[in-house]
Structures are given as structure tokens and as C-alpha cells.
Amino acid sequence: MLVRSRYLAFAVHGVRKPGSLGRTASAEGVPVTRRLANVTLDNLDDLPHKCRKCVFWELDPVSHARAQEAGDPALEKEAWVSAMLLEWGSCGKIAYVDSVPAGYVLYAPPLYVPRSVAFPTSPVSGDAVLLMTASILSEFQGGGLGRMLVQGVAKDLTRRGVKAIEAFGDLRGDGISCMLPADYLLAVGFKTVRPHHHFPRLRLELKTTVSWREDVEVALERLLGSMTPERALRLA
């Protein structure tokens, strides 16, 4: 049986430079500090509880079911992150507000995402990084954390010389998994490379290093910032 939790909208206002400490004011005018950190084994427990135990993307469907039956998918999550850090490097970002974890994003090459081969529109192109999932906790919406995370991802992948981002879009509209709605992807410049009535695969070309960063920051900011609670993503 699928465990579901609500994914809430990203905010895109009041951005600070990613990867650095930034001070902004709360609604009461009290200064707060925001920062980004790479996902590591040391801070993995700072992911939301259900996300910490979710291995929807990290395992193939059969292994995912077995992990659920075993009752401790968090161990599988930890093993996946450990392998990513050793073999590829950073695979996610966590946003903190006054040392409190407020949101995160995960991404990886398709080689490291077993679920990516389980879709009718698989496989993801070998030159692309898969945008897996992302979330901002509801109490931290409206502070620019969504854009802060997006810029952190763009900076990281630009340094790696990635040529494209791909994602499996969700056309079902019921939001039963941590997948991105296809209409949002299309609206921000992704193009369908493998059509499907439920799970089209979409791609955003990343041209030159200079234009790549600008295009991706704008595209992903619009994508994540346009999500509303009514169209929120849900975790499988």
C-alpha cells in the first residue's frame, strides 16, 4: 500500500545567493539566517520523516516493495545516498532556516536511479541528469527557499558540465507519487521526447555553460514556484 504525504509549493521571493549564509526578516521583523547544504549521511535525517524513508526513486519497483515489507526503507535510502556520494558526488540540497531544515531537492544521473527504467517512456538519456523530487515545508513557504534551492542545483550541475535535465511528467492529475506534473514541465520550456498518456518523458536542453545556468534557474524557478497546494505533489 502506498504511503502518501503532501508536497507543498515552492516560493520564489527574497532570494539570497545559494551556498552562502543569508539574513532576512520574518513576519515579525526578527532576522533569520538561511543556508544551503549538500545532502550527506550526516544530515540525511534532516529530510522530512516520510521523505527520509521514501525510496520510490532510489529502488526499482520490486526492491521498493521488498523494502516496504521489511519495514525499514530508511536503510535503503542511506545506502543510496552513500553510493551517490562515493561514485558521483552531491545528489541533493537541504535548505535551513536558523538551523531548522525547511526543504530539499534530489537529483541524479539515470544510472543511479533504478526507478527511472520502470516507466513506459524509459530510459532517460545518458547525457541528462534526472530531476527526481523536491519539497518545501509549509511553514517556510514565501521566503524564497525554492529559488535558493534551484540556484544551488544549477550551480552544482553547471560545474559538472551537464548537457540536459530530464524528468518523467505526470499527466494523471492525481498526484500519487513524487513526480512532477507534465504541464508544469512543458510550461517552463521542457520538450516531450517520448509521449505517453500518463508518463511522458520531457527534456530541457542545456546549451552553453553561460546560457545553461540562466535558462535552468529561470525554468526550474518557474516550475517549482508555480506549484500550488491544490496541485501539490504527493509522495508514494
Side-chain angles (χ1 to χ4, degrees), residues 20-215:
S20 65
L21 294 178
R23 298 195 67 83
T24 185
S26 67
E28 293 76 21
V30 179
V32 296
T33 300
R34 308 183 304 167
R35 66 182 177 90
L36 286 186
N38 290 334
V39 171
T40 67
L41 296 180
D42 292 331
N43 62 18
L44 190 57
D45 288 338
D46 287 344
L47 297 184
H49 180 66
K50 289 183 178 180
C51 302
R52 171 65 177 87
K53 299 196 303 179
C54 174
V55 285
F56 175 83
W57 287 108
E58 293 84 352
L59 297 178
D60 62 81
V62 174
S63 299
H64 178 265
R66 289 174 179 169
Q68 296 289 348
E69 292 174 1
D72 197 3
L75 291 177
E76 297 287 350
K77 187 86 165 189
E78 183 174 334
W80 183 84
V81 170
S82 177
M84 288 298 303
L85 293 172
L86 289 172
E87 299 176 21
W88 189 66
S90 174
C91 59
K93 304 285 183 183
I94 300 178
Y96 293 89
V97 175
D98 281 347
S99 299
V100 177
Y104 79 101
V105 61
L106 290 178
Y107 51 96
L111 177 65
Y112 298 96
V113 187
R115 175 71 65 162
S116 68
V117 301
F119 292 89
T121 51
S122 299
V124 173
S125 302
D127 64 348
V129 162
L130 180 65
L131 184 62
M132 295 163 59
T133 190
S135 177
I136 290 290
L137 300 183
S138 59
E139 58 267 37
F140 295 103
Q141 291 179 27
L145 294 180
R147 180 168 181 172
M148 188 176 179
L149 281 167
V150 166
Q151 290 182 329
V153 173
K155 180 179 179 180
D156 180 36
L157 296 183
T158 299
R159 176 178 55 83
R160 303 186 194 200
V162 176
K163 293 183 178 180
I165 290 179
E166 291 190 1
F168 292 102
D170 187 356
L171 282 174
R172 297 170 301 179
D174 51 12
I176 65 171
S177 71
C178 49
M179 295 177 61
L180 298 171
D183 55 349
Y184 288 120
L185 291 167
L186 291 169
V188 297
F190 280 76
K191 305 297 182 182
T192 301
V193 291
R194 283 289 303 276
H196 189 264
H197 59 289
H198 282 167
F199 305 116
R201 177 162 54 89
L202 303 100
R203 179 180 174 94
L204 180 64
E205 297 290 346
L206 310 175
K207 303 169 186 177
T208 66
T209 301
V210 175
S211 65
W212 188 97
R213 181 171 181 178
E214 295 174 352
D215 292 348

Side-chain angles (χ1 to χ4, degrees), residues 3-7 50-51 54 175-178 233-236:
V3 178
R4 303 180 180 180
S5 68
R6 195 168 190 173
Y7 267 57
K50 289 183 178 180
C51 302
C54 174
I176 65 171
S177 71
C178 49
L233 304 180
R234 294 177 184 273
L235 180 64

